[in-house]
């Protein structure tokens, strides 16, 4: 009974209920006024609730992707680069590759295909022909994407 609020508590920013969050946290209006996710945003310097679109989904401020829950938005924001990341060898965008991997400049600097080449001992991306296709070092076959070449 000491902590019972009669099921009436709601986050002051995202309006989630206590059952929908992993806990309560401090906000601009005092202790236990925000859900865990909003309290994390508040501690990180945000001064208001995350943006919500017309469908009620939470919007990433950097890349405009939408998420069903504020927790999903928080998980995404940890890794969001706003669409600016490029593989340092082949310059492919993150959306067009199968993930990031380690390279000579550190973790998550190469796409998965280039990272596979790097771990195999290569020191750069595969050569490209005059049509922009990637050429196999062994058989000289040309491929449209570095992923099709096989890393």
């Amino acid at each position: 009974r000491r902590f019972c609020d009669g099921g009436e508590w709601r986050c002051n920013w995202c309006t989630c209920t206590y059952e929908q969050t992993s806990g309560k946290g401090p906000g601009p209006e005092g202790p236990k006024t925000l859900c865990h996710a909003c309290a994390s945003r508040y501690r990180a310097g945000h001064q208001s609730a995350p943006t919500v679109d017309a469908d009620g989904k939470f919007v990433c401020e950097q890349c405009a992707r939408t998420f069903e829950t504020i927790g999903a938005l928080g998980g995404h924001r940890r890794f969001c680069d706003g669409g600016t990341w490029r593989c340092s060898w082949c310059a492919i965008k993150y959306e067009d590759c199968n993930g990031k991997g380690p390279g000579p400049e550190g973790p998550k600097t190469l796409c998965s295909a280039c990272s596979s080449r790097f771990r195999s001992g290569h020191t750069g991306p595969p050569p490209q022909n005059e049509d922009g296709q990637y050429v196999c070092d062994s058989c000289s076959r040309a491929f449209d994407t570095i992923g099709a070449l096989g890393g």
Side-chain angles (χ1 to χ4, degrees):
R1 287 188 162 256
R2 182 175 157 199
F3 299 106
C4 182
D5 62 5
E8 301 298 320
W9 183 88
R10 286 198 172 272
C11 174
N12 286 359
W13 281 6
C14 73
T15 69
C16 71
T17 64
Y18 183 71
E19 290 77 28
Q20 295 171 319
T21 184
S22 59
K24 300 176 188 178
E29 290 88 27
K32 299 183 180 180
T33 56
L34 300 179
C35 68
H36 178 75
C38 287
S40 294
R41 286 179 53 85
Y42 177 68
R43 283 190 299 273
H46 294 273
Q47 295 300 313
S48 63
T51 307
V52 179
D53 68 5
D55 297 327
K57 294 185 179 181
F58 297 96
V59 181
C60 175
E61 295 152 0
Q62 291 184 307
C63 69
R65 281 187 60 192
T66 60
F67 299 89
E68 295 286 333
T69 66
I70 192 167
L73 171 65
H76 162 78
R77 286 193 37 85
R78 289 179 45 213
F79 302 103
C80 181
D81 62 5
T84 60
W85 183 88
R86 299 276 191 280
C87 173
S88 52
W89 279 6
C90 70
I92 193 171
K93 292 181 184 181
Y94 177 70
E95 298 83 34
D96 300 329
C97 70
N98 290 328
K100 301 175 188 177
E105 291 133 29
K108 298 182 181 179
T109 56
L110 298 178
C111 67
S112 58
C114 288
S115 181
S116 176
R117 287 180 57 81
F118 171 71
R119 290 190 309 272
S120 297
H122 293 275
T123 57
Q128 289 180 286
N129 64 17
E130 60 279 351
D131 297 325
Q133 294 178 310
Y134 294 96
V135 180
C136 176
D137 298 334
S138 302
C139 68
S140 299
R141 259 183 79 191
F143 298 89
D144 290 329
T145 65
I146 196 168
L149 172 62

